Amino acid sequence: MRHTRGTQVRARGGARRALVGGFATAALLLTAACGQGEEPAAEPEADGGTEAAAEGPAEIRFVWWGNEERAALTNEAVDAFMAANPDITVETESVDFNSYFDRLATAVAAGDEPDVITMGGAYPREYGDRGVLMDLEEVSEHLDLSTLDASALANGYFSDTQYGVPTGVNTFGLIVNPAVFEAAGVELPDDETWDWDEFVDIATEISANTPEGTYGVEDPTAPDALDLYANQHTGLGLYSPEGEIAIEAETVQNWFDMTTTLMEQGATPQASITAELAGQPAPEQTLLGRGLAGMKFGWSNLLSAYSTAAGQDMIMLLPPGESNHEGPGMWLQASQLWTISKNTEYPEASAKLLDFMVNSTEVADILGANRGIPANAEIREHLSTGLTPVQQTEYDFIERVGGHADGDFVVGPTGSTESVQILTRLNDQVLFGQLEPAAAAEQFVTELTAAVS
């Protein structure tokens, strides 16, 4: 979700500088650098330089994007950290999402990036490969990552380096309305064994046994679903670990053949409805949220929203095909990643802050699931009391996927966000009969390759 509230700055006592206007000092430094060249590096201290500084009193900067609620919760967690670590001062800043990465780019160009940086999307790979981010193995003495799910940690691992720590996780799976299954007289599948053929049969049976306008499943075509499908069938998703296109046209064609069959059999809506729904992502506007579909591929953090919209507690199932092909296609997706600047003067203090944020029950009580379900199983267990039934379902599913997924996660390369627009357009053309699945598949691979090149 994009938060669009104004920049919030919170300067801590004793901080190195006050931040004004979101990385404003970075812009000043960049201007100075353009006119005078780079400043010479500081002479190392005789007793060890950076490491020695990190062992004494430290003043670090921590930045993230988010709204006022997230800022208040995060600052409360930082206060708890400083109370436990009185020799470390943390200066915090919350920036609206739309300007966050532009300001970060300016700060990095000026050599004035924060010590602890929040990342997301394809940006971790971009900044990691540019040498901006620290290899977290260097601070492993102060940052325990062994407590986190391996498949969640993989979100921050690329170029053979662990650059990021997941703030929390969700997962992409199948959201199901049991009431629609019951009304159709269809039993819920065994999601440990079912395949895509059974998925098509079940969706078709639901549509046949419910009133007109109710469907077995909404059209499942989306980059995340296609990535999952490709992972299952070939062991590689849309992209390779090197940031290149990995999916083959044959896999995409098989996907389009399946979704075309779903529509022709009435298991999914006609093309005009699917095209209309593509522009209405809010849960209450979907067929599932209106009680008019039995299944929909989606993210686990929307389970409560779909349940509220439909007035029916939803559940989550493993997607079809998870046990019948090359391997599982599911993964745990980091809501965000916390990273450390490679240029920080205080690597030890920065690592201690991240360790506190992901491993402290005190922080868990403050943040809850504000940044996703915790990737630490012990923290999830700590928070499990007092959950609503739907929240418990989400927590349990994350726990299940944590043990199911193989941890093989590939961060999308720069340009990969264009996959949504490309796939949506081609899917419409296939469903409207304007393109054959084979031609659409070839075009998808060609266009996506161009987007990330």
Side-chain angles (χ1 to χ4, degrees):
M1 178 181 294
R2 292 190 174 187
H3 302 287
T4 56
R5 294 188 182 275
T7 299
Q8 299 174 18
V9 179
R10 188 179 185 190
R12 303 292 182 155
R16 287 175 293 180
R17 62 181 65 83
L19 298 180
V20 181
F23 311 134
T25 54
L28 294 175
L29 286 175
L30 181 59
T31 301
C34 291
Q36 301 174 12
E38 293 186 3
E39 296 183 12
E43 291 293 329
E45 299 177 14
D47 58 355
T50 300
E51 287 192 17
E55 291 173 357
E59 298 169 341
I60 62 176
R61 293 157 57 202
F62 174 26
V63 63
W64 65 88
W65 69 83
N67 59 7
E68 293 177 352
E69 177 188 14
R70 173 169 292 168
L73 293 174
T74 307
N75 280 319
E76 186 179 347
V78 169
D79 286 340
F81 170 77
M82 290 195 296
N85 298 270
D87 61 334
I88 301 175
T89 299
V90 183
E91 181 184 89
T92 67
E93 182 178 9
S94 177
V95 180
D96 72 274
F97 182 87
N98 289 325
S99 58
Y100 178 86
F101 286 103
D102 287 339
R103 292 177 177 180
L104 178 61
T106 301
V108 168
D112 190 46
E113 68 270 14
D115 303 270
V116 177
I117 309 168
T118 304
M119 287 283 182
Y123 288 102
R125 179 186 287 275
E126 177 184 337
Y127 281 100
D129 287 347
R130 285 169 51 191
V132 175
L133 306 180
M134 175 175 287
D135 178 355
L136 297 182
E137 179 63 28
E138 297 177 16
V139 290
S140 59
E141 182 179 350
H142 309 287
L143 174 57
D144 183 9
L145 299 181
S146 67
T147 60
L148 307 184
D149 297 321
S151 53
L153 271 178
N155 286 254
Y157 185 85
F158 46 90
S159 302
D160 298 321
T161 306
Q162 189 72 50
Y163 285 115
V165 181
T167 65
V169 295
N170 59 9
T171 191
F172 188 78
L174 195 65
I175 303 175
V176 170
N177 187 339
V180 174
F181 273 75
E182 184 177 356
V186 177
E187 292 186 3
L188 292 171
D190 179 356
D191 65 348
E192 294 283 351
T193 62
W194 70 329
D195 205 338
W196 290 96
D197 289 339
E198 186 178 354
F199 165 74
V200 171
D201 291 341
I202 288 174
T204 302
E205 187 178 0
I206 290 173
S207 291
N209 294 335
T210 50
E212 184 177 354
T214 299
Y215 301 91
V217 65
E218 297 192 38
D219 181 86
T221 304
D224 297 311
L226 184 58
D227 187 51
L228 182 150
Y229 181 85
N231 261 304
Q232 289 179 349
H233 287 78
T234 67
L236 286 173
L238 292 175
Y239 313 105
S240 71
E242 294 74 30
E244 299 174 346
I245 301 303
I247 194 168
E248 298 177 350
E250 181 182 1
T251 303
V252 184
Q253 179 182 344
N254 291 338
W255 175 268
F256 281 140
D257 284 338
M258 178 189 67
T259 57
T260 302
T261 297
L262 283 168
M263 184 186 71
E264 291 174 347
Q265 296 181 176
T268 56
Q270 292 301 302
S272 58
I273 297 177
T274 293
E276 180 183 356
L277 290 171
Q280 298 180 342
E284 62 272 14
Q285 295 174 311
T286 64
L287 296 177
L288 186 76
R290 290 153 54 195
L292 298 178
M295 299 177 285
K296 178 180 176 62
F297 283 87
W299 291 97
S300 59
N301 63 340
L302 291 176
L303 188 64
S304 292
Y306 283 117
S307 298
T308 299
Q312 170 67 42
D313 286 355
M314 305 282 181
I315 63 173
M316 291 204 71
L317 299 178
L318 298 180
E322 283 290 283
S323 61
N324 308 95
H325 299 289
E326 293 294 320
M330 294 190 72
W331 67 96
L332 290 180
Q333 175 83 41
S335 306
Q336 299 170 348
L337 291 169
W338 282 320
T339 65
I340 298 176
S341 168
K342 188 174 183 178
N343 299 318
T344 179
E345 297 178 44
Y346 303 104
E348 178 181 320
S350 299
K352 285 182 176 179
L353 173 61
L354 294 193
D355 185 83
F356 192 80
M357 296 295 283
V358 297
N359 292 323
S360 166
T361 56
E362 185 175 2
V363 168
D365 289 336
I366 295 169
L367 294 182
N370 183 266
R371 280 184 167 87
I373 303 296
N376 183 326
E378 293 183 3
I379 297 298
R380 288 199 297 271
E381 177 66 25
H382 173 77
L383 292 174
S384 63
T385 58
L387 298 174
T388 67
V390 175
Q391 289 173 330
Q392 186 65 60
T393 297
E394 182 184 356
Y395 269 67
D396 290 345
F397 193 70
I398 290 290
E399 188 75 31
R400 184 183 178 195
V401 173
H404 166 82
D406 59 14
D408 185 13
F409 181 86
V410 176
V411 178
T414 302
S416 58
T417 53
E418 293 189 33
S419 62
V420 178
Q421 181 269 334
I422 294 171
L423 187 58
T424 299
R425 170 170 44 80
L426 292 174
N427 185 56
D428 283 349
Q429 290 179 289
V430 169
L431 296 182
F432 278 107
Q434 298 166 348
L435 270 181
E436 291 295 323
E442 292 285 353
Q443 192 169 332
F444 175 77
V445 173
T446 298
E447 291 190 29
L448 190 58
T449 300
V452 304
S453 296

